[in-house]
Amino acid sequence: MTSSVKDRVFAAAEQISAERRPTVSTVRAAAGVSNADATRYLKEWSEEKLAAGGQVAATPPALLEQATRLAAACWAEASTQAADRHTAVEAAWAQERKDKDLEIAELVADLDKAAAERETATADFQARVTALESKAQALERQLAARGAELEDSRAAERAAVGAAAEAENKLASAEARSATLEKVHNALLQRVAPETKAPVPKKNKSFSPYFTEADAD
């Protein structure tokens, strides 16, 4: 039974090898054996075929020459493609670097422009601040002068009020003195008038150092 299984496996392997390389699954299906038997006897069949074939024949020189030429052509083509690709990559890298350098130059120019504008704006702002400070100082001086003038005016007003009060006091004192002198004058008139003569009506006159007897009449 074992020989029968082996024979079937060998026969199936021979038949299949005419078209393609036999495998365990194809031999098992063709011989109608188990997977273990197909594996075992297919291995034996392969070993026998290898032993029967002996050493592999040497490769013909013409075939070696063609293979060498083909390899050289493939290498040349690969080298050309690699060189072309390297050139393309290098050109792309150079263009990218050029674009980056241009972009950096534009950024530097923009930064320089922004710095110049900032310096100009700072100078203008400083000039405006200086002008405002000058105006503020001028206003402070004007306010100080107006304050001094106002203080002088108030002092003059206080002096005028004091002078007016003093003049008013002097006037009141003069009026009081005038009234007193008038009383004295009237009293003197009454004393010097004749007893037989009717009393002289009092005249409402102020005392004068130039009083005469005619005035008494």
Side-chain angles (χ1 to χ4, degrees):
M1 181 177 180
T2 303
S3 298
S4 177
V5 172
K6 179 179 179 180
D7 292 339
R8 292 204 306 271
V9 170
F10 274 46
E14 288 290 345
Q15 183 180 0
I16 295 172
S17 64
E19 298 178 358
R20 60 183 183 277
R21 182 175 177 274
T23 61
V24 173
S25 59
T26 57
V27 169
R28 182 191 61 193
V33 297
S34 65
N35 189 68
D37 291 336
T39 302
R40 175 185 175 186
Y41 294 121
L42 179 60
K43 182 178 180 182
E44 291 182 4
W45 177 83
S46 298
E47 291 175 352
E48 289 181 2
K49 283 292 184 182
L50 183 60
Q55 296 181 351
V56 179
T59 304
L63 183 60
L64 289 176
E65 184 179 358
Q66 291 180 0
T68 302
R69 290 178 180 178
L70 180 61
C74 291
W75 176 257
E77 181 66 21
S79 298
T80 302
Q81 292 182 0
D84 293 341
R85 182 172 179 81
H86 176 73
T87 302
V89 171
E90 187 175 9
W93 179 81
Q95 183 63 37
E96 184 177 358
R97 181 177 179 180
K98 182 179 179 181
D99 295 339
K100 291 294 183 182
D101 292 341
L102 180 60
E103 184 177 357
I104 291 173
E106 291 177 352
L107 289 175
V108 171
D110 291 340
L111 288 175
D112 292 340
K113 182 179 179 181
E117 292 177 352
R118 180 181 178 183
E119 290 179 357
T120 302
T122 302
D124 293 341
F125 177 76
Q126 188 62 38
R128 293 180 62 184
V129 170
T130 302
L132 290 175
E133 289 178 350
S134 299
K135 289 183 179 180
Q137 292 175 359
L139 289 175
E140 288 179 357
R141 289 192 295 269
Q142 291 179 3
L143 288 175
R146 295 293 184 273
E149 292 177 358
L150 179 61
E151 188 62 28
D152 293 342
S153 177
R154 289 177 178 176
E157 182 180 358
R158 289 193 295 269
V161 170
E166 184 178 359
E168 186 176 356
N169 291 333
K170 289 181 179 180
L171 178 60
S173 177
E175 289 179 351
R177 185 177 179 183
S178 176
T180 301
L181 291 175
E182 185 176 359
K183 290 180 181 180
V184 172
H185 176 260
N186 292 332
L188 289 175
L189 288 178
Q190 290 179 0
R191 291 178 62 182
V192 298
E195 295 180 358
T196 58
K197 193 175 181 178
V200 179
K202 295 181 179 180
K203 296 181 179 180
N204 189 12
K205 294 183 179 180
S206 300
F207 175 77
S208 174
Y210 301 101
F211 177 77
T212 61
E213 293 181 357
D215 293 329
D217 295 337

